[in-house]
Amino acid sequence: MANGSDFRGDYQEFNLDDAIRKIPDFPKPGILFYDITSILANPRAFKYCIDSMFKLYGDTEFDTAAAIESRGFVFAAPFCYERNIPLLLVRKKGKLPGRTISCAYELEYGTAVLEMHIEDIKPKARFLIIDDLIATGGTINATCEMIKRGGAVPVRAFSVIGLPSLKYQEKVTDVGIDTLIEYSGE
Ligand code: AMP
């Protein structure tokens, strides 16, 4: 059930759910993995996602986007290209070569550390955070934390998929979150 039917525009009949591959017990037993590579392999589905971002954020001013490794990169790149704003990569520990700011976070399945290049976070810059899926909200929260510590402002977060049963709405307090489709009960 896609939320925000106001931005569906030309896609009234478009069913994003059909375009998302679901893999049970990946990467470990008990996790239902929502695979967005099936969106990327479906040009109409990918176009729907990117067009929806422009409809959502047509009037919202962002100075910078922060995209979360690795599937968030794919949705952020066309958005930043068209909006002519900087794209900062949020990567797992050890992947970025420059001076970094880091934050530990919890995933639905494990823990890890995220990093950003500190010098690319400009003071007071208004950030849109972009990922493919939000589950517990730990990744978004860690990204907000790094942006704030860098002196900038997290404004909103976009995720293609939301899993509200994992209560990310209660845990993410720094930014409002926009999703294109939500799955309950996982
Ligand atoms: P979280 O920090 O719990 O909100 O987890 C979000 C991050 O983990 C995103 O970068 C997702 O790509 C990945 N992720 C977590 N759970 C799933 C899932 N069930 N299916 C696909 N990706 C997931």
Side-chain angles (χ1 to χ4, degrees):
M1 64 271 33
N3 54 19
S5 57
D6 50 325
F7 60 79
R8 298 190 72 185
D10 300 336
Y11 296 96
Q12 288 302 333
E13 304 302 318
F14 190 76
N15 187 341
L16 186 58
D17 176 48
D18 283 348
I20 298 170
R21 186 185 288 124
K22 289 98 182 164
I23 314 280
D25 299 319
F26 184 88
K28 66 179 195 184
I31 302 291
L32 178 60
F33 192 86
Y34 294 92
D35 176 29
I36 59 84
T37 67
S38 51
I39 293 178
L40 305 180
N42 176 341
R44 188 153 183 260
F46 186 52
K47 186 168 172 18
Y48 168 76
C49 292
I50 303 303
D51 287 355
S52 297
M53 293 175 74
F54 287 112
K55 285 174 188 158
L56 276 167
Y57 302 124
D59 297 330
T60 316
E61 237 179 76
F62 298 111
D63 300 305
T64 307
I68 295 170
E69 179 164 352
S70 59
R71 296 178 292 271
F73 298 174
V74 185
F75 296 94
F79 185 80
C80 291
Y81 172 82
E82 189 61 31
R83 288 284 288 254
N84 197 29
I85 59 170
L87 167 52
L88 274 53
L89 303 187
V90 179
R91 299 215 61 185
K92 290 177 185 143
K93 190 177 169 60
K95 299 282 187 185
L96 291 171
R99 199 162 66 86
T100 56
I101 189 168
S102 68
C103 189
Y105 72 110
E106 272 183 30
L107 269 179
E108 188 187 1
Y109 40 82
T111 60
V113 174
L114 289 177
E115 294 183 335
M116 296 174 75
H117 273 144
I118 183 81
E119 71 184 58
D120 295 333
I121 304 176
K122 304 300 180 200
K124 298 196 170 58
R126 290 165 53 84
F127 270 75
L128 172 65
I129 300 167
I130 300 173
D131 203 356
D132 68 324
L133 180 144
I134 180 164
T136 66
T139 312
I140 301 274
N141 274 340
T143 304
C144 287
E145 185 62 32
M146 289 187 285
I147 291 168
K148 289 195 296 182
R149 275 167 38 207
V153 187
V155 173
R156 283 205 83 78
F158 170 84
S159 178
V160 177
I161 300 167
L163 305 185
S165 51
L166 291 165
K167 306 260 189 291
Y168 65 80
Q169 307 96 321
E170 293 163 27
K171 294 176 202 156
V172 177
T173 53
D174 285 324
V175 286
I177 296 163
D178 303 298
T179 60
L180 300 185
I181 190 165
E182 297 192 331
Y183 292 97
S184 304
E186 325 308 327

